[in-house]
Amino acid sequence: QVQLVESGGGSVQPGGSLGLSCVASGSIFRVYTMGWYRQAPGKQRELVATISREGITAYTDSVKGRFTVSRDNVKNSVYLQMNKLKLEDTAVYYCNARVAHGPTYTLNDYWGPGTQVTVSS
């Protein structure tokens, strides 16, 4: 099994910054794509940003230029730096990791429990 633990959520005013962290632990041979998703009240979960093991990133259009995703392959960790936060960024943010348990194992997706990010004035 694999556990993902997020940290760094909280409350901030519009225009402020927050940083999220997520570390994966457990039965891990290799972590492939990692990413961040979010779910606002009454809305579906949406992709925010992903990063491949090689460092290739992708962002949803609404956060481009404001959010930066990064990772540390040694620590099996992924980070999300959020700048210029807007009211509409308020959501529960979930960490996701695609994990191999061995060299010939299939990949499995794991999720963290989520961390609340609230942007309000």
Side-chain angles (χ1 to χ4, degrees), residues 92-114:
V92 177
Y93 284 69
Y94 297 90
C95 173
N96 170 265
R98 183 154 291 182
V99 177
H101 299 290
T104 60
Y105 284 40
T106 56
L107 302 179
N108 292 310
D109 277 333
Y110 293 91
W111 294 89

Side-chain angles (χ1 to χ4, degrees), residues 38-41 46 87-93 115-119:
R38 66 186 179 187
Q39 187 166 18
E46 65 170 352
L87 296 175
E88 53 264 39
D89 294 320
T90 295
V92 177
Y93 284 69
T115 185
Q116 178 70 46
V117 171
T118 301
V119 184

Side-chain angles (χ1 to χ4, degrees), residues 36-59:
W36 293 94
Y37 292 70
R38 66 186 179 187
Q39 187 166 18
K43 295 187 177 182
Q44 291 187 332
R45 188 175 298 188
E46 65 170 352
L47 181 148
V48 176
T50 61
I51 182 167
S52 71
R53 185 171 180 81
E54 296 77 20
I56 299 171
T57 60
Y59 299 89

Side-chain angles (χ1 to χ4, degrees), residues 8-26:
S11 296
V12 65
Q13 292 185 337
S17 298
L18 280 175
L20 303 182
S21 300
C22 172
V23 58
S25 63

Side-chain angles (χ1 to χ4, degrees), residues 11 22 24 38 59 61 63 65-67 73 78 83 92 107 112:
S11 296
C22 172
R38 66 186 179 187
Y59 299 89
D61 285 345
V63 308
R66 300 188 298 122
F67 290 11
N73 290 335
V78 63
N83 298 327
V92 177
L107 302 179

